[in-house]
Amino acid sequence: MLNMKKDQSEALAGISTLQVGVAWKTSGGGQKGLMGRFKRAVGTDLDLAAVALEDGRPKRLCWFDNEDAFDNGSLITTGDNRTGKGDGDDETIIARLADIPAAIDTL
């Protein structure tokens, strides 16, 4: 397992599966009280996405509305968590590098 942080780079030689997860804590939402209920304030929703590029141009987008970008399980998301509640990662994207089409050069 390789744990990375923002702005860190690592060589991916020998890596066959890349899994990226994000977690967040819920916010208090918008207004509280009667107006908050009326407006249905629910807090923050974070959405994780991956863009597959070919020669620098976007070819596929993997996110909660397109859970299997290539329809072969090579670039998938585990779904949409709208609340941030619970332990561990709230949203995850998994890339099976050997199965991603050869023309894709950047994720």
Side-chain angles (χ1 to χ4, degrees):
M1 177 187 224
L2 175 67
N3 288 313
M4 297 176 66
K5 297 191 183 291
K6 182 179 178 181
D7 296 325
Q8 178 184 349
S9 63
E10 293 286 338
L12 298 180
I15 302 289
S16 60
T17 302
L18 186 63
Q19 181 170 316
V20 178
V22 295
W24 70 97
K25 298 294 180 213
T26 57
S27 71
Q31 291 178 301
K32 301 212 182 290
L34 183 59
M35 288 307 293
R37 288 184 193 159
F38 179 70
K39 293 181 179 180
R40 294 180 171 225
V42 294
T44 303
D45 177 19
L46 178 76
D47 290 319
L48 181 62
V51 180
L53 305 176
E54 179 182 332
D55 295 324
R57 293 186 310 271
K59 285 298 191 179
R60 291 284 198 281
L61 177 65
C62 181
W63 66 318
F64 71 88
D65 198 34
N66 184 18
E67 295 180 353
D68 188 353
F70 293 105
D71 297 321
N72 67 355
S74 65
L75 185 60
I76 62 170
T77 178
T78 57
D80 185 22
N81 179 327
R82 295 182 178 186
T83 66
K85 293 180 181 175
D87 294 329
D89 291 336
D90 295 309
E91 295 190 15
T92 303
I93 288 182
I94 301 167
R96 292 178 180 84
L97 302 177
D99 297 328
I100 290 177
I104 300 301
D105 54 33
T106 305
L107 289 177

